[in-house]
């Protein structure tokens, strides 16, 4: 477990699958080896009106931590995070009187997982009810757990295969936490930020 | 390597195969303080962890509930209540917190030897208390339980002293009674009713030191 940077990527006049193809070729040319698949998904539940002001619970799973369920509770002003065992999903089903989910809100990012030296790269296609909404590139630098100490290195690596589209600044969520130890829940926060943005998008061009 | 499956799909598959331990079989009783040593001695003789002795625990449990008024005349209950319990060890600091949902007692067969109720038990991070508060839960009650845990096969036996939450100082906690609560329980997938019989036989072996019974919670709540 190291530091992870998640960024969106798109190419003009290219569809989702075409963009993935371009990226896979670039990463393979750098010497990356494909190591299986990955999946990050997010289901959103909202509180029923009788429960007072509206709160939203986002329940996320990451195939990198298959025995854990991550939940982020948004009360409008702050987000509280929680990590639990897999049975949390069952608990959410029991809570359906209080928190309900809409079928159309389920988002997932899935695709191929590559390893290249100390880096792990995941090229994900984001879909909402089987509509492609965009491409998310996840890069993890595994030997380090403090973002500030490896950000420059990661930025350079990202530029190596994303070119000018690579992020020039750390993700907004990480900017206040650059000196802190990085945890898997931090990756989940980044996914949620992107999922929220991509959900609002209609279709990828 | 195959594509990782969707977590919800694997959960439904696990539910379908009935491998999730989501039923609790339970018997309860109590023993006065002056006789607890005799009971512990008997349990040491009967249970599995003979060499290492019983495991001790010192836990803090908080019971939360989510409540909403039921609208319409479709149900006789005026409120929908959903209870959740959080338990953390006071004596060990690096263990995860435990979150637990306990459902209504199953009515079922009157001749069934134990209480059967649904239960979902999971480890969670320490942010759970803040999370439940934000979720809209309120604290119903809290207490401190200190005692011993024994095992016999898949059965768990706890002998615990319950204390009221005092002020912040842990030394000032006050016991709620002059007795210990004794619980015999098994967490198993549903439909394994033979466990109830094993529990009945085991409870029989503890008589007359402690009388473990099927407690009817509905009757208890009417009495209050």
């Amino acid at each position: 477990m190291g530091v992870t940077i998640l960024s969106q990527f798109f190419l003009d006049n290219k569809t989702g699958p075409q963009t993935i193809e371009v990226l896979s070729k670039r990463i393979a040319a750098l010497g990356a080896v494909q190591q299986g698949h990955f999946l990050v998904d997010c289901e959103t539940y909202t509180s029923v009106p009788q429960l007072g002001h509206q709160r939203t619970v986002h329940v996320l799973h990451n195939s990198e931590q298959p025995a854990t369920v991550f939940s982020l509770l948004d009360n409008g002003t702050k987000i509280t995070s929680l990590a639990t065992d897999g049975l949390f999903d069952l608990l959410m089903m029991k809570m359906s009187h209080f928190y309900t989910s809409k079928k159309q809100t389920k988002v997932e990012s899935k695709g191929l997982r590559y390893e290249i030296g100390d880096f792990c790269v995941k090229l994900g296609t984001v879909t909402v009810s089987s509509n492609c909404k965009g491409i998310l590139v996840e890069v993890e630098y595994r030997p380090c757990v403090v973002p500030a100490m490896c950000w420059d290195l990661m930025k350079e690596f990202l530029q190596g295969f994303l070119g000018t589209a690579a992020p020039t600044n750390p993700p907004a969520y990480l900017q206040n936490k650059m000196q802190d130890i990085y945890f898997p829940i931090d990756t989940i926060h980044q996914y949620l930020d992107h999922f929220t943005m991509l959900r609002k998008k209609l279709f990828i061009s | 390597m195959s594509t990782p499956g969707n977590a919800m799909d694997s959960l439904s598959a696990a539910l379908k195969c009935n491998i999730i331990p989501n039923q609790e079989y339970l018997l309860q009783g109590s023993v006065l303080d002056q006789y607890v040593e005799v009971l512990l001695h008997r349990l040491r003789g009967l249970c599995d962890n003979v060499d290492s002795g019983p495991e001790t625990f010192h836990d803090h449990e908080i019971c939360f509930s989510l409540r909403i008024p039921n609208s319409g005349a479709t149900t006789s209950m005026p409120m929908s209540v959903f209870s959740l319990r959080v338990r953390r060890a006071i004596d060990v600091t690096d263990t995860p917190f435990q979150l637990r949902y306990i459902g209504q007692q199953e009515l079922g067969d009157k001749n069934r030897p134990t209480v059967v109720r649904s239960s979902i038990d999971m480890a969670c991070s320490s942010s759970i208390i803040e999370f439940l508060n934000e979720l809209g839960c309120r604290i119903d009650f809290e207490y401190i339980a200190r005692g011993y845990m024994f095992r016999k096969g898949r059965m768990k036996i706890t002998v615990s002293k319950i204390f009221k939450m005092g002020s912040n100082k842990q030394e000032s906690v006050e016991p709620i009674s002059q007795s210990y609560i004794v619980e015999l329980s098994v967490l198993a997938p549903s439909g394994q009713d033979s466990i109830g019989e094993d529990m009945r036989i085991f409870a029989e072996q503890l008589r007359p030191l402690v009388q473990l019974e099927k407690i009817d919670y509905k009757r208890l709540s009417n009495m209050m």
Side-chain angles (χ1 to χ4, degrees):
Chain A
M1 177 62 221
V3 177
T4 299
I5 301 290
L6 189 66
S7 51
Q8 266 184 62
F9 183 76
F10 59 90
L11 287 171
D12 290 336
N13 309 320
K14 288 240 192 296
T15 61
Q18 285 169 336
T19 314
I20 288 286
E21 204 183 316
V22 170
L23 285 176
S24 325
K25 274 186 188 150
R26 286 191 198 166
I27 194 83
L30 287 174
V33 184
Q34 197 215 310
Q35 296 279 358
H37 297 72
F38 83 99
L39 169 68
V40 177
D41 63 37
C42 170
E43 183 75 82
T44 297
Y45 299 83
T46 39
S47 58
V48 294
Q50 296 97 306
L51 216 57
H53 76 271
Q54 200 188 53
R55 307 169 181 92
T56 317
V57 182
H58 303 279
V59 180
L60 292 100
H61 305 93
N62 187 346
S63 54
E64 205 72 14
Q65 285 88 28
T68 309
V69 178
F70 299 96
S71 315
L72 301 176
L73 169 60
D74 187 350
N75 69 355
T77 49
K78 77 169 183 183
I79 293 182
T80 314
S81 54
L82 177 73
T84 53
D85 285 345
L87 288 185
F88 192 80
D89 291 316
L90 200 58
L91 196 66
M92 285 312 290
M93 287 184 201
K94 294 264 185 204
M95 252 198 270
S96 57
H97 256 90
F98 303 89
Y99 281 84
T100 52
S101 78
K102 296 190 197 93
K103 271 280 162 274
Q104 304 84 352
T105 54
K106 181 157 183 156
V107 194
E108 57 181 32
S109 173
K110 67 174 174 188
L112 296 174
R113 181 181 182 280
Y114 296 87
E115 286 184 8
I116 167 170
D118 286 337
F119 293 93
C120 176
V121 178
K122 294 172 191 168
L123 305 177
T125 307
V126 181
T127 51
V128 179
S129 48
S130 61
N131 289 323
C132 174
K133 295 279 189 171
I135 305 298
L136 283 178
V137 180
E138 181 192 318
V139 171
E140 181 186 351
Y141 179 61
R142 293 186 289 186
C144 180
V145 290
V146 181
M149 296 174 90
C150 59
W151 162 247
D152 286 325
L153 178 74
M154 294 184 77
K155 187 167 76 173
E156 208 175 307
F157 177 78
L158 278 156
Q159 279 165 354
F161 76 103
L162 299 182
T164 49
T168 46
N169 289 308
Y173 170 75
L174 278 184
Q175 281 177 11
N176 296 321
K177 305 170 70 80
M178 293 299 278
Q179 299 292 343
D180 300 348
I181 290 183
Y182 192 91
F183 287 103
I185 191 85
D186 295 320
T187 306
I188 293 298
H189 272 278
Q190 291 187 56
Y191 267 102
L192 182 64
D193 286 349
H194 283 286
F195 284 164
T196 312
M197 268 186 275
L198 289 169
R199 252 181 200 156
K200 292 177 188 148
K201 257 180 74 174
L202 281 177
F203 283 103
I204 192 170
S205 57
Chain B
M1 203 174 124
S2 63
T3 321
N6 183 301
M8 287 310 268
D9 293 346
S10 33
L11 183 71
S12 344
L15 278 174
K16 213 179 262 173
C17 309
N18 201 17
I19 53 167
I20 298 179
N22 58 0
Q23 297 284 310
E24 186 188 41
Y25 296 76
L26 177 73
L27 287 175
Q28 289 172 310
S30 73
V31 61
L32 286 169
D33 285 352
Q34 62 260 46
Y35 304 117
V36 74
E37 279 305 323
V38 189
L39 175 69
L40 292 175
H41 192 77
R42 178 88 179 116
L43 282 167
R44 263 195 290 269
L46 285 173
C47 294
D48 293 340
N49 36 348
V50 179
D51 304 334
S52 54
E55 262 181 63
T56 57
F57 61 84
H58 186 185
D59 293 348
H60 175 199
E61 181 156 323
I62 311 176
C63 185
F64 290 88
S65 68
L66 260 179
R67 288 158 193 268
I68 50 169
N70 270 333
S71 54
T74 47
T75 163
S76 57
M77 303 275 275
M79 289 281 244
S80 277
V81 182
F82 185 81
S83 305
L84 287 167
R85 286 151 187 260
V86 175
R87 201 162 176 137
R88 74 182 173 96
I90 296 172
D91 49 348
V92 189
T93 47
D94 57 353
T95 50
F97 284 39
Q98 293 288 325
L99 172 64
R100 184 154 195 227
Y101 158 81
I102 300 175
Q104 290 289 327
Q105 185 172 337
E106 264 180 35
L107 294 171
D109 185 359
K110 277 215 173 95
N111 300 322
R112 197 146 54 180
T114 69
V115 166
V116 180
R117 56 189 189 179
S118 71
S119 160
I120 306 173
D121 221 331
M122 73 195 88
C124 57
S125 52
S126 58
S127 53
I128 183 69
I129 294 175
E130 190 190 349
F131 189 90
L132 291 180
N133 278 325
E134 293 296 340
L135 201 67
C137 292
R138 64 166 206 221
I139 296 183
D140 283 346
F141 57 86
E142 56 184 318
Y143 61 85
I144 286 176
R146 200 156 61 189
Y148 305 91
M149 196 269 282
F150 297 86
R151 266 166 295 151
K152 171 77 179 170
R154 58 204 294 197
M155 288 184 273
K156 180 170 96 174
I157 304 99
T158 57
V159 179
S160 23
K161 185 90 190 154
I162 308 292
F163 297 89
K164 260 186 217 162
M165 285 299 291
S167 53
N168 286 332
K169 283 184 217 143
Q170 254 143 47
E171 288 77 25
S172 70
V173 293
E174 187 191 334
I176 63 155
S177 68
Q178 278 85 52
S179 51
Y180 278 75
I181 178 167
V182 184
E183 291 182 298
L184 169 60
S185 65
V186 176
L187 206 55
S190 57
Q192 304 203 355
D193 285 346
S194 60
I195 293 166
E197 198 48 32
D198 295 348
M199 289 170 68
R200 191 187 61 79
I201 294 166
F202 187 80
E204 208 61 48
Q205 294 179 307
L206 293 176
R207 280 175 195 242
L209 295 171
V210 61
Q211 191 151 336
L212 293 175
E213 286 179 342
K214 195 173 154 181
I215 308 285
D216 186 350
Y217 289 95
K218 284 237 169 68
R219 224 182 58 205
L220 277 184
S221 62
N222 289 339
M223 276 161 63
M224 280 195 291

